[in-house]
Amino acid sequence: MQTAERKRPPPVKVQSGQLRTAESRGTEVSGDGCVVRLGGGRCVLVSLVWMQGTVLEVQTERNSALLMDETGTFTVRGVNSIPRGKPCLSPGKYVMVMGVIMAVSPEPVIRAVKMADLSELAGLHRRMWKLEVEELQQLLA
């Protein structure tokens, strides 16, 4: 199990708009991930992402939630399986989601691995998020 975990690169901080324009083979994303365009025309292969957004809708019967960041909406699947994830699942909460990319078009879909409620300092997290994404992507390129 440890060798499989070592093969997967760390999560990449992205905006939903970047996933929406990512390149994948077909509508489903393979285990290898998809190619995300960074600033300046650079690209990186991404399979595990770290995203932040506001919960718009929760569908526990479908095991999913709809979130929105400043570039659009994205769906998070597997929310019922996340330890301590249920407190995050209320409309209006600002959350962090780490997960595996399942689809990029027409709307990004990720399978959650971890979720955390960032609502207590939501204003700060929202303001810093775009800068954090840009900084990490500059280091990757």
Side-chain angles (χ1 to χ4, degrees), residues 79-107:
V79 295
N80 297 340
S81 307
I82 302 302
R84 296 186 304 242
K86 292 234 189 269
C88 299
L89 297 176
S90 298
K93 294 257 187 180
Y94 188 75
V95 300
M96 175 279 286
V97 180
M98 187 177 4
V100 178
I101 302 168
M102 296 176 65
V104 294
S105 179
E107 178 177 85

Side-chain angles (χ1 to χ4, degrees), residues 54-94:
T54 302
V55 177
L56 297 179
E57 179 181 355
V58 179
Q59 296 181 334
T60 51
E61 68 284 354
R62 296 183 77 190
N63 199 18
S64 69
L66 180 65
L67 277 68
M68 183 176 68
D69 66 15
E70 66 178 39
T71 64
T73 59
F74 59 101
T75 298
V76 179
R77 297 236 170 101
V79 295
N80 297 340
S81 307
I82 302 302
R84 296 186 304 242
K86 292 234 189 269
C88 299
L89 297 176
S90 298
K93 294 257 187 180
Y94 188 75

Side-chain angles (χ1 to χ4, degrees), residues 94 118-126:
Y94 188 75
L118 304 177
S119 299
E120 190 173 320
L121 296 172
L124 175 64
H125 289 294
R126 277 190 185 99

